[in-house]
Every structure is written in C-alpha cells, then in structure tokens.
Amino acid sequence: MAAADLDMVKLAGDIKRWGQELGFQELAITDVDLSAYEPHLRNWIASDYHGEMHYMASNHELRSQPDRLLPGTTRVICARMDYARQTDNSLAPLQRRQSAYIARYARGRDYHKLVRKRLQRLATWIENEVGSFGYRAFVDSAPVLERALAEKAGLGWIGKNTMLINKQAGSWFFLGELFTDLPLPLDTPGEPHCGSCRACLDVCPTDAFVGANQLDARRCISYLTIELRGSIPEELRRPMGNRVFGCDDCNLICPWNKFTRISAESDFAPRHGFDAAGLVSLFSWTEQQFLDNTAGSAIRRAGYEGWLRNLAVGLGNAETSPEVVAALNNRREHPSALVREHVAWALAQHELPSSGDPD
C-alpha cells in the first residue's frame, strides 16, 4: 500500500498502542531536525568533555543529522521502557562502604538486546499493516542523539543532569528509536520542569557538572568506571566511594523520581546479588567467574581489568578490616600494572604499605 493511501493519524495511534502491548511505557514521534541541539554537541566536544570517548567526536555529524545515518529517514519513533525494580531512592546504599554500588540499569540483563528485539517486533507489526517500508531500530548502538530526539518527541525534557526526565515517571527508563520513512504525524515537545532545583548538580561527588546540562564526562563516575581504560585520576578516587560500575546519584536525588514506577520486566531484576554484593566477594572473582557472572550484562563493558580496578578503589574507600586488607594483598602482584597501581593506592588508604600488614 502506498504511503499516500494510508491514514497516518490512525497508524500513529496503532503504533503507540502496539508499543505498549510490547512492553514500552510510552512512544512518541518526531522529525529529524536536530539543528537546535547541534551547537550544544559541538561545544561539548570542543571543550573535550567527552574524554576518551573519541566516537562522540568522530560521529557528531551523524548524531545531529539522523537522515545521514539512515538516508531516507523522515520520522523517528521514540520509545521508553521503565527499568526500576524499587521505588526507594535513598542514598543510604552509598554509605554502606563494604558493599559495592552498581548502577541500577546494569544490575539485570543487558537492556540493549531486549529493547531492540521489541522495536524489531514493532517494525514487523507495522510492516504487516502497511507493507514494506524503510526502517532501522537503534538502542544506544549507533551515533544517535536519543535524549534530544525523545525530548523533541515529547517523552520528557533533558534535565540539568543531562538525563531525560518524564513528568509522570521520573528518569529510570531506557530509550530506543525506530528510524522510518513513514510520514507519520508529529507529537508535541514538552516543557522543562526543573525550575530552580539544582539538587542533581550539588549532589555529584566528583563535581562533574560544570553547569546546568553541562557534564564534564572526564569527572563523571559512570565514565571513570565504564568508559575510561586507564588509571582513574587519584583526586577522584576518594569521591567515588563504593561506586564500582556507574553512578545513580543525580537520579536518586531528583525530586521527579518520586513518581518512579516498578518495571514488570523480569530481565531487569538484579542478578548475582548486584544490588547488595560485598566488595570483597566481587574482588575475589577469577576472570572466568567474571565472564560467567556478567554474561548478558552491561557490566561486561568494563572488562575484567577495569572491574578489578574499580573494586580496588571501592576497597580503598571501605572500612579497614582484615578481610579488606587480605583481599587487596591477594591482588598485590596481579599481572596487570593497572590493577597493581590501584591496589597499592587502596592499601595506602588503610595506612598500610603495599606489603599489607594489617597490624
């Protein structure tokens, strides 16, 4: 069926209904004009705030021009899927110095495949209705300005912490996009509702925010524990506390997350005790245990060496105990110079020489 013969208003309504049937909480549609966002992206890169994420600089033109990423694209169907498994947004777990804090999004199965499969199924349902059409699904897997597209589509607004915030659901959700050549009707962008609140900017333990909606990734704990491959700057190790993979502080403190909704997706439930695992226990994993226990997990992105590096910092910030000291000493001669460096730093935090005498 030719696009001109389709009732696009009805089709858009059907797409949103189908999306909810597939487990998405909300879908909205926007065009591909991101010219209003391009200066911000260019300035962010020019300031070197992207750190070692060189792909951000090399692909910035594709990010701000979706129709160059997939020629023929005229619309983007934006979808969000809640992932919260609890409504308690307390900062208390960050004070439990013997436990590892893993960002909530990474505690269950990796969301990329799940969300992409749902988008693919949505595309199939559309195809069954309209026939062959141009499309491609994206879930944080290509140069896509997903938050800009979602904001423009009306799924929320980009808050001062650079996260997308939804007035009815807060910010604990994943985003996905279906680029398409179907001339669907556009949804209306929402208005920002952060007001004078700056709780997210003030709570950041490493002062990564240089201003509202201005994040210096080089100081962000999520970047340090996931994207950075080398040594974590010493001045940022103490502020990291027990955060060993990602950071949720600016989400936990956001007043809009009082509207957090529990996800029904069982795949997002914590695995291997990732919501309360002890630092010593995680640090004892062999590389094979790491690979086995992070199969299908976003944590794999850090790599085993990065995992041990992060945990060594967490142990350096933990309360001194024979168990902590013994765990660090067991890695004192690790083959990786990166791990040895952070273990030595951790031992020094307990006022111990790298030889590790607990007395």
Side-chain angles (χ1 to χ4, degrees), residues 53 103 105-106 220-229 232 244-247 298-303 306 309-310:
M53 296 184 290
Y105 84 88
C220 177
I221 293 175
S222 288
Y223 168 83
L224 297 172
T225 56
I226 303 172
E227 300 293 340
L228 183 67
R229 296 304 171 192
I232 295 171
V244 300
F245 189 90
C247 180
I299 295 173
R300 273 277 186 95
R301 185 171 177 82
R309 174 200 62 184
N310 299 345

mmCIF file with all atom_site columns, all heavy atoms in Angstrom, residues 53 103 105-106 220-229 232 244-247 298-303 306 309-310:
data_model
loop_
_atom_site.group_PDB
_atom_site.id
_atom_site.type_symbol
_atom_site.label_atom_id
_atom_site.label_alt_id
_atom_site.label_comp_id
_atom_site.label_asym_id
_atom_site.label_entity_id
_atom_site.label_seq_id
_atom_site.pdbx_PDB_ins_code
_atom_site.Cartn_x
_atom_site.Cartn_y
_atom_site.Cartn_z
_atom_site.occupancy
_atom_site.B_iso_or_equiv
_atom_site.pdbx_formal_charge
_atom_site.auth_seq_id
_atom_site.auth_comp_id
_atom_site.auth_asym_id
_atom_site.auth_atom_id
_atom_site.pdbx_PDB_model_num
ATOM 1   N N   . MET A 1 53  ? 36.120 9.177   24.879 1.00 0.00 ? 53  MET A N   1
ATOM 2   C CA  . MET A 1 53  ? 35.032 8.676   24.026 1.00 0.00 ? 53  MET A CA  1
ATOM 3   C C   . MET A 1 53  ? 35.146 9.327   22.649 1.00 0.00 ? 53  MET A C   1
ATOM 4   O O   . MET A 1 53  ? 34.339 10.172  22.248 1.00 0.00 ? 53  MET A O   1
ATOM 5   C CB  . MET A 1 53  ? 33.679 8.973   24.674 1.00 0.00 ? 53  MET A CB  1
ATOM 6   C CG  . MET A 1 53  ? 33.469 8.245   25.985 1.00 0.00 ? 53  MET A CG  1
ATOM 7   S SD  . MET A 1 53  ? 31.829 8.479   26.715 1.00 0.00 ? 53  MET A SD  1
ATOM 8   C CE  . MET A 1 53  ? 31.912 10.217  27.228 1.00 0.00 ? 53  MET A CE  1
ATOM 9   N N   . ALA A 1 103 ? 25.270 0.677   39.320 1.00 0.00 ? 103 ALA A N   1
ATOM 10  C CA  . ALA A 1 103 ? 24.143 1.464   38.810 1.00 0.00 ? 103 ALA A CA  1
ATOM 11  C C   . ALA A 1 103 ? 22.952 0.554   38.537 1.00 0.00 ? 103 ALA A C   1
ATOM 12  O O   . ALA A 1 103 ? 23.089 -0.568  38.044 1.00 0.00 ? 103 ALA A O   1
ATOM 13  C CB  . ALA A 1 103 ? 24.553 2.208   37.540 1.00 0.00 ? 103 ALA A CB  1
ATOM 14  N N   . TYR A 1 105 ? 20.660 0.398   36.344 1.00 0.00 ? 105 TYR A N   1
ATOM 15  C CA  . TYR A 1 105 ? 20.372 -0.080  34.994 1.00 0.00 ? 105 TYR A CA  1
ATOM 16  C C   . TYR A 1 105 ? 21.171 -1.326  34.645 1.00 0.00 ? 105 TYR A C   1
ATOM 17  O O   . TYR A 1 105 ? 20.780 -2.104  33.757 1.00 0.00 ? 105 TYR A O   1
ATOM 18  C CB  . TYR A 1 105 ? 20.646 1.019   33.960 1.00 0.00 ? 105 TYR A CB  1
ATOM 19  C CG  . TYR A 1 105 ? 22.087 1.118   33.512 1.00 0.00 ? 105 TYR A CG  1
ATOM 20  C CD1 . TYR A 1 105 ? 22.554 0.353   32.453 1.00 0.00 ? 105 TYR A CD1 1
ATOM 21  C CD2 . TYR A 1 105 ? 22.983 1.958   34.159 1.00 0.00 ? 105 TYR A CD2 1
ATOM 22  C CE1 . TYR A 1 105 ? 23.878 0.427   32.034 1.00 0.00 ? 105 TYR A CE1 1
ATOM 23  C CE2 . TYR A 1 105 ? 24.300 2.041   33.762 1.00 0.00 ? 105 TYR A CE2 1
ATOM 24  C CZ  . TYR A 1 105 ? 24.740 1.276   32.696 1.00 0.00 ? 105 TYR A CZ  1
ATOM 25  O OH  . TYR A 1 105 ? 26.052 1.342   32.294 1.00 0.00 ? 105 TYR A OH  1
ATOM 26  N N   . ALA A 1 106 ? 22.308 -1.544  35.333 1.00 0.00 ? 106 ALA A N   1
ATOM 27  C CA  . ALA A 1 106 ? 23.217 -2.628  34.986 1.00 0.00 ? 106 ALA A CA  1
ATOM 28  C C   . ALA A 1 106 ? 23.075 -3.852  35.884 1.00 0.00 ? 106 ALA A C   1
ATOM 29  O O   . ALA A 1 106 ? 23.824 -4.812  35.741 1.00 0.00 ? 106 ALA A O   1
ATOM 30  C CB  . ALA A 1 106 ? 24.656 -2.126  35.041 1.00 0.00 ? 106 ALA A CB  1
ATOM 31  N N   . CYS A 1 220 ? 33.002 12.301  35.566 1.00 0.00 ? 220 CYS A N   1
ATOM 32  C CA  . CYS A 1 220 ? 31.790 11.543  35.878 1.00 0.00 ? 220 CYS A CA  1
ATOM 33  C C   . CYS A 1 220 ? 32.149 10.106  36.256 1.00 0.00 ? 220 CYS A C   1
ATOM 34  O O   . CYS A 1 220 ? 32.910 9.435   35.546 1.00 0.00 ? 220 CYS A O   1
ATOM 35  C CB  . CYS A 1 220 ? 30.855 11.552  34.672 1.00 0.00 ? 220 CYS A CB  1
ATOM 36  S SG  . CYS A 1 220 ? 29.358 10.566  34.888 1.00 0.00 ? 220 CYS A SG  1
ATOM 37  N N   . ILE A 1 221 ? 31.595 9.614   37.342 1.00 0.00 ? 221 ILE A N   1
ATOM 38  C CA  . ILE A 1 221 ? 31.920 8.274   37.815 1.00 0.00 ? 221 ILE A CA  1
ATOM 39  C C   . ILE A 1 221 ? 31.469 7.207   36.825 1.00 0.00 ? 221 ILE A C   1
ATOM 40  O O   . ILE A 1 221 ? 32.129 6.177   36.673 1.00 0.00 ? 221 ILE A O   1
ATOM 41  C CB  . ILE A 1 221 ? 31.314 8.035   39.212 1.00 0.00 ? 221 ILE A CB  1
ATOM 42  C CG1 . ILE A 1 221 ? 32.004 8.953   40.235 1.00 0.00 ? 221 ILE A CG1 1
ATOM 43  C CG2 . ILE A 1 221 ? 31.460 6.575   39.644 1.00 0.00 ? 221 ILE A CG2 1
ATOM 44  C CD1 . ILE A 1 221 ? 31.410 8.897   41.626 1.00 0.00 ? 221 ILE A CD1 1
ATOM 45  N N   . SER A 1 222 ? 30.384 7.447   36.122 1.00 0.00 ? 222 SER A N   1
ATOM 46  C CA  . SER A 1 222 ? 29.972 6.484   35.098 1.00 0.00 ? 222 SER A CA  1
ATOM 47  C C   . SER A 1 222 ? 31.051 6.354   34.026 1.00 0.00 ? 222 SER A C   1
ATOM 48  O O   . SER A 1 222 ? 31.383 5.245   33.587 1.00 0.00 ? 222 SER A O   1
ATOM 49  C CB  . SER A 1 222 ? 28.644 6.918   34.468 1.00 0.00 ? 222 SER A CB  1
ATOM 50  O OG  . SER A 1 222 ? 27.576 6.727   35.368 1.00 0.00 ? 222 SER A OG  1
ATOM 51  N N   . TYR A 1 223 ? 31.580 7.467   33.604 1.00 0.00 ? 223 TYR A N   1
ATOM 52  C CA  . TYR A 1 223 ? 32.666 7.446   32.611 1.00 0.00 ? 223 TYR A CA  1
ATOM 53  C C   . TYR A 1 223 ? 33.906 6.780   33.198 1.00 0.00 ? 223 TYR A C   1
ATOM 54  O O   . TYR A 1 223 ? 34.532 5.920   32.564 1.00 0.00 ? 223 TYR A O   1
ATOM 55  C CB  . TYR A 1 223 ? 32.989 8.874   32.178 1.00 0.00 ? 223 TYR A CB  1
ATOM 56  C CG  . TYR A 1 223 ? 34.274 9.004   31.382 1.00 0.00 ? 223 TYR A CG  1
ATOM 57  C CD1 . TYR A 1 223 ? 34.289 8.761   30.016 1.00 0.00 ? 223 TYR A CD1 1
ATOM 58  C CD2 . TYR A 1 223 ? 35.467 9.373   32.000 1.00 0.00 ? 223 TYR A CD2 1
ATOM 59  C CE1 . TYR A 1 223 ? 35.469 8.881   29.277 1.00 0.00 ? 223 TYR A CE1 1
ATOM 60  C CE2 . TYR A 1 223 ? 36.645 9.492   31.282 1.00 0.00 ? 223 TYR A CE2 1
ATOM 61  C CZ  . TYR A 1 223 ? 36.640 9.247   29.920 1.00 0.00 ? 223 TYR A CZ  1
ATOM 62  O OH  . TYR A 1 223 ? 37.799 9.358   29.207 1.00 0.00 ? 223 TYR A OH  1
ATOM 63  N N   . LEU A 1 224 ? 34.277 7.144   34.410 1.00 0.00 ? 224 LEU A N   1
ATOM 64  C CA  . LEU A 1 224 ? 35.506 6.633   35.025 1.00 0.00 ? 224 LEU A CA  1
ATOM 65  C C   . LEU A 1 224 ? 35.465 5.125   35.210 1.00 0.00 ? 224 LEU A C   1
ATOM 66  O O   . LEU A 1 224 ? 36.486 4.446   35.045 1.00 0.00 ? 224 LEU A O   1
ATOM 67  C CB  . LEU A 1 224 ? 35.733 7.306   36.383 1.00 0.00 ? 224 LEU A CB  1
ATOM 68  C CG  . LEU A 1 224 ? 35.965 8.820   36.374 1.00 0.00 ? 224 LEU A CG  1
ATOM 69  C CD1 . LEU A 1 224 ? 35.972 9.366   37.800 1.00 0.00 ? 224 LEU A CD1 1
ATOM 70  C CD2 . LEU A 1 224 ? 37.277 9.166   35.670 1.00 0.00 ? 224 LEU A CD2 1
ATOM 71  N N   . THR A 1 225 ? 34.307 4.586   35.540 1.00 0.00 ? 225 THR A N   1
ATOM 72  C CA  . THR A 1 225 ? 34.217 3.159   35.839 1.00 0.00 ? 225 THR A CA  1
ATOM 73  C C   . THR A 1 225 ? 33.834 2.300   34.643 1.00 0.00 ? 225 THR A C   1
ATOM 74  O O   . THR A 1 225 ? 33.923 1.074   34.716 1.00 0.00 ? 225 THR A O   1
ATOM 75  C CB  . THR A 1 225 ? 33.183 2.915   36.962 1.00 0.00 ? 225 THR A CB  1
ATOM 76  O OG1 . THR A 1 225 ? 31.916 3.471   36.571 1.00 0.00 ? 225 THR A OG1 1
ATOM 77  C CG2 . THR A 1 225 ? 33.646 3.541   38.271 1.00 0.00 ? 225 THR A CG2 1
ATOM 78  N N   . ILE A 1 226 ? 33.437 2.929   33.543 1.00 0.00 ? 226 ILE A N   1
ATOM 79  C CA  . ILE A 1 226 ? 32.979 2.158   32.378 1.00 0.00 ? 226 ILE A CA  1
ATOM 80  C C   . ILE A 1 226 ? 33.772 2.481   31.121 1.00 0.00 ? 226 ILE A C   1
ATOM 81  O O   . ILE A 1 226 ? 34.303 1.585   30.458 1.00 0.00 ? 226 ILE A O   1
ATOM 82  C CB  . ILE A 1 226 ? 31.479 2.404   32.124 1.00 0.00 ? 226 ILE A CB  1
ATOM 83  C CG1 . ILE A 1 226 ? 30.658 2.040   33.364 1.00 0.00 ? 226 ILE A CG1 1
ATOM 84  C CG2 . ILE A 1 226 ? 31.005 1.602   30.916 1.00 0.00 ? 226 ILE A CG2 1
ATOM 85  C CD1 . ILE A 1 226 ? 29.189 2.424   33.283 1.00 0.00 ? 226 ILE A CD1 1
ATOM 86  N N   . GLU A 1 227 ? 33.876 3.748   30.778 1.00 0.00 ? 227 GLU A N   1
ATOM 87  C CA  . GLU A 1 227 ? 34.492 4.145   29.506 1.00 0.00 ? 227 GLU A CA  1
ATOM 88  C C   . GLU A 1 227 ? 36.009 4.301   29.592 1.00 0.00 ? 227 GLU A C   1
ATOM 89  O O   . GLU A 1 227 ? 36.721 3.990   28.638 1.00 0.00 ? 227 GLU A O   1
ATOM 90  C CB  . GLU A 1 227 ? 33.869 5.448   29.017 1.00 0.00 ? 227 GLU A CB  1
ATOM 91  C CG  . GLU A 1 227 ? 32.361 5.378   28.776 1.00 0.00 ? 227 GLU A CG  1
ATOM 92  C CD  . GLU A 1 227 ? 31.993 4.480   27.616 1.00 0.00 ? 227 GLU A CD  1
ATOM 93  O OE1 . GLU A 1 227 ? 32.862 4.205   26.770 1.00 0.00 ? 227 GLU A OE1 1
ATOM 94  O OE2 . GLU A 1 227 ? 30.829 4.035   27.573 1.00 0.00 ? 227 GLU A OE2 1
ATOM 95  N N   . LEU A 1 228 ? 36.494 4.807   30.718 1.00 0.00 ? 228 LEU A N   1
ATOM 96  C CA  . LEU A 1 228 ? 37.931 5.045   30.866 1.00 0.00 ? 228 LEU A CA  1
ATOM 97  C C   . LEU A 1 228 ? 38.674 3.720   30.940 1.00 0.00 ? 228 LEU A C   1
ATOM 98  O O   . LEU A 1 228 ? 38.307 2.836   31.707 1.00 0.00 ? 228 LEU A O   1
ATOM 99  C CB  . LEU A 1 228 ? 38.195 5.864   32.134 1.00 0.00 ? 228 LEU A CB  1
ATOM 100 C CG  . LEU A 1 228 ? 39.657 6.254   32.402 1.00 0.00 ? 228 LEU A CG  1
ATOM 101 C CD1 . LEU A 1 228 ? 40.153 7.231   31.341 1.00 0.00 ? 228 LEU A CD1 1
ATOM 102 C CD2 . LEU A 1 228 ? 39.794 6.845   33.797 1.00 0.00 ? 228 LEU A CD2 1
ATOM 103 N N   . ARG A 1 229 ? 39.743 3.580   30.167 1.00 0.00 ? 229 ARG A N   1
ATOM 104 C CA  . ARG A 1 229 ? 40.503 2.334   30.135 1.00 0.00 ? 229 ARG A CA  1
ATOM 105 C C   . ARG A 1 229 ? 41.782 2.403   30.959 1.00 0.00 ? 229 ARG A C   1
ATOM 106 O O   . ARG A 1 229 ? 42.355 1.371   31.296 1.00 0.00 ? 229 ARG A O   1
ATOM 107 C CB  . ARG A 1 229 ? 40.848 1.957   28.687 1.00 0.00 ? 229 ARG A CB  1
ATOM 108 C CG  . ARG A 1 229 ? 39.637 1.665   27.824 1.00 0.00 ? 229 ARG A CG  1
ATOM 109 C CD  . ARG A 1 229 ? 38.776 0.583   28.440 1.00 0.00 ? 229 ARG A CD  1
ATOM 110 N NE  . ARG A 1 229 ? 37.499 0.409   27.750 1.00 0.00 ? 229 ARG A NE  1
ATOM 111 C CZ  . ARG A 1 229 ? 36.489 -0.294  28.229 1.00 0.00 ? 229 ARG A CZ  1
ATOM 112 N NH1 . ARG A 1 229 ? 36.605 -0.863  29.413 1.00 0.00 ? 229 ARG A NH1 1
ATOM 113 N NH2 . ARG A 1 229 ? 35.371 -0.404  27.552 1.00 0.00 ? 229 ARG A NH2 1
ATOM 114 N N   . ILE A 1 232 ? 42.372 5.759   36.957 1.00 0.00 ? 232 ILE A N   1
ATOM 115 C CA  . ILE A 1 232 ? 41.416 6.742   37.447 1.00 0.00 ? 232 ILE A CA  1
ATOM 116 C C   . ILE A 1 232 ? 42.209 7.836   38.157 1.00 0.00 ? 232 ILE A C   1
ATOM 117 O O   . ILE A 1 232 ? 43.056 7.530   39.004 1.00 0.00 ? 232 ILE A O   1
ATOM 118 C CB  . ILE A 1 232 ? 40.423 6.080   38.412 1.00 0.00 ? 232 ILE A CB  1
ATOM 119 C CG1 . ILE A 1 232 ? 39.568 5.051   37.660 1.00 0.00 ? 232 ILE A CG1 1
ATOM 120 C CG2 . ILE A 1 232 ? 39.532 7.131   39.086 1.00 0.00 ? 232 ILE A CG2 1
ATOM 121 C CD1 . ILE A 1 232 ? 38.700 4.200   38.551 1.00 0.00 ? 232 ILE A CD1 1
ATOM 122 N N   . VAL A 1 244 ? 31.216 1.169   41.923 1.00 0.00 ? 244 VAL A N   1
ATOM 123 C CA  . VAL A 1 244 ? 32.177 0.388   41.137 1.00 0.00 ? 244 VAL A CA  1
ATOM 124 C C   . VAL A 1 244 ? 31.758 0.202   39.684 1.00 0.00 ? 244 VAL A C   1
ATOM 125 O O   . VAL A 1 244 ? 32.563 -0.236  38.856 1.00 0.00 ? 244 VAL A O   1
ATOM 126 C CB  . VAL A 1 244 ? 32.420 -0.991  41.778 1.00 0.00 ? 244 VAL A CB  1
ATOM 127 C CG1 . VAL A 1 244 ? 32.980 -0.829  43.185 1.00 0.00 ? 244 VAL A CG1 1
ATOM 128 C CG2 . VAL A 1 244 ? 31.155 -1.848  41.777 1.00 0.00 ? 244 VAL A CG2 1
ATOM 129 N N   . PHE A 1 245 ? 30.507 0.519   39.353 1.00 0.00 ? 245 PHE A N   1
ATOM 130 C CA  . PHE A 1 245 ? 30.077 0.468   37.950 1.00 0.00 ? 245 PHE A CA  1
ATOM 131 C C   . PHE A 1 245 ? 28.923 1.437   37.793 1.00 0.00 ? 245 PHE A C   1
ATOM 132 O O   . PHE A 1 245 ? 27.805 1.176   38.201 1.00 0.00 ? 245 PHE A O   1
ATOM 133 C CB  . PHE A 1 245 ? 29.643 -0.940  37.545 1.00 0.00 ? 245 PHE A CB  1
ATOM 134 C CG  . PHE A 1 245 ? 29.392 -1.076  36.059 1.00 0.00 ? 245 PHE A CG  1
ATOM 135 C CD1 . PHE A 1 245 ? 30.418 -1.439  35.199 1.00 0.00 ? 245 PHE A CD1 1
ATOM 136 C CD2 . PHE A 1 245 ? 28.139 -0.814  35.533 1.00 0.00 ? 245 PHE A CD2 1
ATOM 137 C CE1 . PHE A 1 245 ? 30.193 -1.546  33.831 1.00 0.00 ? 245 PHE A CE1 1
ATOM 138 C CE2 . PHE A 1 245 ? 27.902 -0.915  34.161 1.00 0.00 ? 245 PHE A CE2 1
ATOM 139 C CZ  . PHE A 1 245 ? 28.943 -1.284  33.310 1.00 0.00 ? 245 PHE A CZ  1
ATOM 140 N N   . GLY A 1 246 ? 29.238 2.584   37.194 1.00 0.00 ? 246 GLY A N   1
ATOM 141 C CA  . GLY A 1 246 ? 28.216 3.594   37.006 1.00 0.00 ? 246 GLY A CA  1
ATOM 142 C C   . GLY A 1 246 ? 27.934 4.379   38.278 1.00 0.00 ? 246 GLY A C   1
ATOM 143 O O   . GLY A 1 246 ? 28.572 4.184   39.315 1.00 0.00 ? 246 GLY A O   1
ATOM 144 N N   . CYS A 1 247 ? 26.966 5.276   38.176 1.00 0.00 ? 247 CYS A N   1
ATOM 145 C CA  . CYS A 1 247 ? 26.615 6.151   39.304 1.00 0.00 ? 247 CYS A CA  1
ATOM 146 C C   . CYS A 1 247 ? 25.173 6.586   39.119 1.00 0.00 ? 247 CYS A C   1
ATOM 147 O O   . CYS A 1 247 ? 24.752 6.913   38.008 1.00 0.00 ? 247 CYS A O   1
ATOM 148 C CB  . CYS A 1 247 ? 27.539 7.362   39.327 1.00 0.00 ? 247 CYS A CB  1
ATOM 149 S SG  . CYS A 1 247 ? 27.209 8.526   40.677 1.00 0.00 ? 247 CYS A SG  1
ATOM 150 N N   . ALA A 1 298 ? 25.490 -5.595  31.135 1.00 0.00 ? 298 ALA A N   1
ATOM 151 C CA  . ALA A 1 298 ? 26.199 -4.383  30.711 1.00 0.00 ? 298 ALA A CA  1
ATOM 152 C C   . ALA A 1 298 ? 27.547 -4.255  31.403 1.00 0.00 ? 298 ALA A C   1
ATOM 153 O O   . ALA A 1 298 ? 28.435 -3.548  30.919 1.00 0.00 ? 298 ALA A O   1
ATOM 154 C CB  . ALA A 1 298 ? 25.347 -3.155  31.001 1.00 0.00 ? 298 ALA A CB  1
ATOM 155 N N   . ILE A 1 299 ? 27.728 -4.945  32.531 1.00 0.00 ? 299 ILE A N   1
ATOM 156 C CA  . ILE A 1 299 ? 28.973 -4.843  33.294 1.00 0.00 ? 299 ILE A CA  1
ATOM 157 C C   . ILE A 1 299 ? 30.167 -5.349  32.489 1.00 0.00 ? 299 ILE A C   1
ATOM 158 O O   . ILE A 1 299 ? 31.297 -4.924  32.715 1.00 0.00 ? 299 ILE A O   1
ATOM 159 C CB  . ILE A 1 299 ? 28.835 -5.610  34.632 1.00 0.00 ? 299 ILE A CB  1
ATOM 160 C CG1 . ILE A 1 299 ? 27.786 -4.924  35.504 1.00 0.00 ? 299 ILE A CG1 1
ATOM 161 C CG2 . ILE A 1 299 ? 30.158 -5.682  35.374 1.00 0.00 ? 299 ILE A CG2 1
ATOM 162 C CD1 . ILE A 1 299 ? 27.442 -5.683  36.774 1.00 0.00 ? 299 ILE A CD1 1
ATOM 163 N N   . ARG A 1 300 ? 29.904 -6.216  31.535 1.00 0.00 ? 300 ARG A N   1
ATOM 164 C CA  . ARG A 1 300 ? 30.979 -6.736  30.682 1.00 0.00 ? 300 ARG A CA  1
ATOM 165 C C   . ARG A 1 300 ? 31.775 -5.610  30.025 1.00 0.00 ? 300 ARG A C   1
ATOM 166 O O   . ARG A 1 300 ? 32.948 -5.771  29.696 1.00 0.00 ? 300 ARG A O   1
ATOM 167 C CB  . ARG A 1 300 ? 30.388 -7.612  29.573 1.00 0.00 ? 300 ARG A CB  1
ATOM 168 C CG  . ARG A 1 300 ? 30.179 -9.062  29.949 1.00 0.00 ? 300 ARG A CG  1
ATOM 169 C CD  . ARG A 1 300 ? 31.462 -9.861  29.788 1.00 0.00 ? 300 ARG A CD  1
ATOM 170 N NE  . ARG A 1 300 ? 31.217 -11.277 30.003 1.00 0.00 ? 300 ARG A NE  1
ATOM 171 C CZ  . ARG A 1 300 ? 30.978 -12.154 29.039 1.00 0.00 ? 300 ARG A CZ  1
ATOM 172 N NH1 . ARG A 1 300 ? 30.942 -11.744 27.776 1.00 0.00 ? 300 ARG A NH1 1
ATOM 173 N NH2 . ARG A 1 300 ? 30.775 -13.412 29.316 1.00 0.00 ? 300 ARG A NH2 1
ATOM 174 N N   . ARG A 1 301 ? 31.121 -4.475  29.820 1.00 0.00 ? 301 ARG A N   1
ATOM 175 C CA  . ARG A 1 301 ? 31.772 -3.370  29.102 1.00 0.00 ? 301 ARG A CA  1
ATOM 176 C C   . ARG A 1 301 ? 33.028 -2.881  29.815 1.00 0.00 ? 301 ARG A C   1
ATOM 177 O O   . ARG A 1 301 ? 33.976 -2.414  29.172 1.00 0.00 ? 301 ARG A O   1
ATOM 178 C CB  . ARG A 1 301 ? 30.792 -2.215  28.914 1.00 0.00 ? 301 ARG A CB  1
ATOM 179 C CG  . ARG A 1 301 ? 31.343 -1.057  28.064 1.00 0.00 ? 301 ARG A CG  1
ATOM 180 C CD  . ARG A 1 301 ? 30.268 -0.051  27.728 1.00 0.00 ? 301 ARG A CD  1
ATOM 181 N NE  . ARG A 1 301 ? 30.778 1.085   26.985 1.00 0.00 ? 301 ARG A NE  1
ATOM 182 C CZ  . ARG A 1 301 ? 30.995 1.094   25.678 1.00 0.00 ? 301 ARG A CZ  1
ATOM 183 N NH1 . ARG A 1 301 ? 30.751 0.011   24.964 1.00 0.00 ? 301 ARG A NH1 1
ATOM 184 N NH2 . ARG A 1 301 ? 31.458 2.180   25.085 1.00 0.00 ? 301 ARG A NH2 1
ATOM 185 N N   . ALA A 1 302 ? 33.066 -2.998  31.122 1.00 0.00 ? 302 ALA A N   1
ATOM 186 C CA  . ALA A 1 302 ? 34.236 -2.538  31.874 1.00 0.00 ? 302 ALA A CA  1
ATOM 187 C C   . ALA A 1 302 ? 35.439 -3.443  31.651 1.00 0.00 ? 302 ALA A C   1
ATOM 188 O O   . ALA A 1 302 ? 36.583 -3.004  31.787 1.00 0.00 ? 302 ALA A O   1
ATOM 189 C CB  . ALA A 1 302 ? 33.902 -2.467  33.363 1.00 0.00 ? 302 ALA A CB  1
ATOM 190 N N   . GLY A 1 303 ? 35.202 -4.699  31.328 1.00 0.00 ? 303 GLY A N   1
ATOM 191 C CA  . GLY A 1 303 ? 36.292 -5.658  31.197 1.00 0.00 ? 303 GLY A CA  1
ATOM 192 C C   . GLY A 1 303 ? 36.791 -6.101  32.569 1.00 0.00 ? 303 GLY A C   1
ATOM 193 O O   . GLY A 1 303 ? 36.598 -5.397  33.566 1.00 0.00 ? 303 GLY A O   1
ATOM 194 N N   . GLY A 1 306 ? 39.299 -3.644  34.195 1.00 0.00 ? 306 GLY A N   1
ATOM 195 C CA  . GLY A 1 306 ? 38.615 -2.446  34.684 1.00 0.00 ? 306 GLY A CA  1
ATOM 196 C C   . GLY A 1 306 ? 37.756 -2.739  35.896 1.00 0.00 ? 306 GLY A C   1
ATOM 197 O O   . GLY A 1 306 ? 37.643 -1.916  36.813 1.00 0.00 ? 306 GLY A O   1
ATOM 198 N N   . ARG A 1 309 ? 40.065 -2.903  38.820 1.00 0.00 ? 309 ARG A N   1
ATOM 199 C CA  . ARG A 1 309 ? 40.495 -1.526  39.104 1.00 0.00 ? 309 ARG A CA  1
ATOM 200 C C   . ARG A 1 309 ? 39.442 -0.790  39.912 1.00 0.00 ? 309 ARG A C   1
ATOM 201 O O   . ARG A 1 309 ? 39.736 -0.171  40.944 1.00 0.00 ? 309 ARG A O   1
ATOM 202 C CB  . ARG A 1 309 ? 40.740 -0.794  37.776 1.00 0.00 ? 309 ARG A CB  1
ATOM 203 C CG  . ARG A 1 309 ? 41.061 0.688   37.893 1.00 0.00 ? 309 ARG A CG  1
ATOM 204 C CD  . ARG A 1 309 ? 40.795 1.417   36.578 1.00 0.00 ? 309 ARG A CD  1
ATOM 205 N NE  . ARG A 1 309 ? 39.387 1.352   36.192 1.00 0.00 ? 309 ARG A NE  1
ATOM 206 C CZ  . ARG A 1 309 ? 38.905 1.844   35.055 1.00 0.00 ? 309 ARG A CZ  1
ATOM 207 N NH1 . ARG A 1 309 ? 39.720 2.403   34.179 1.00 0.00 ? 309 ARG A NH1 1
ATOM 208 N NH2 . ARG A 1 309 ? 37.615 1.735   34.781 1.00 0.00 ? 309 ARG A NH2 1
ATOM 209 N N   . ASN A 1 310 ? 38.189 -0.869  39.459 1.00 0.00 ? 310 ASN A N   1
ATOM 210 C CA  . ASN A 1 310 ? 37.091 -0.179  40.136 1.00 0.00 ? 310 ASN A CA  1
ATOM 211 C C   . ASN A 1 310 ? 36.878 -0.710  41.549 1.00 0.00 ? 310 ASN A C   1
ATOM 212 O O   . ASN A 1 310 ? 36.658 0.056   42.501 1.00 0.00 ? 310 ASN A O   1
ATOM 213 C CB  . ASN A 1 310 ? 35.797 -0.336  39.334 1.00 0.00 ? 310 ASN A CB  1
ATOM 214 C CG  . ASN A 1 310 ? 35.886 0.251   37.940 1.00 0.00 ? 310 ASN A CG  1
ATOM 215 O OD1 . ASN A 1 310 ? 36.789 1.014   37.622 1.00 0.00 ? 310 ASN A OD1 1
ATOM 216 N ND2 . ASN A 1 310 ? 34.944 -0.130  37.090 1.00 0.00 ? 310 ASN A ND2 1
#
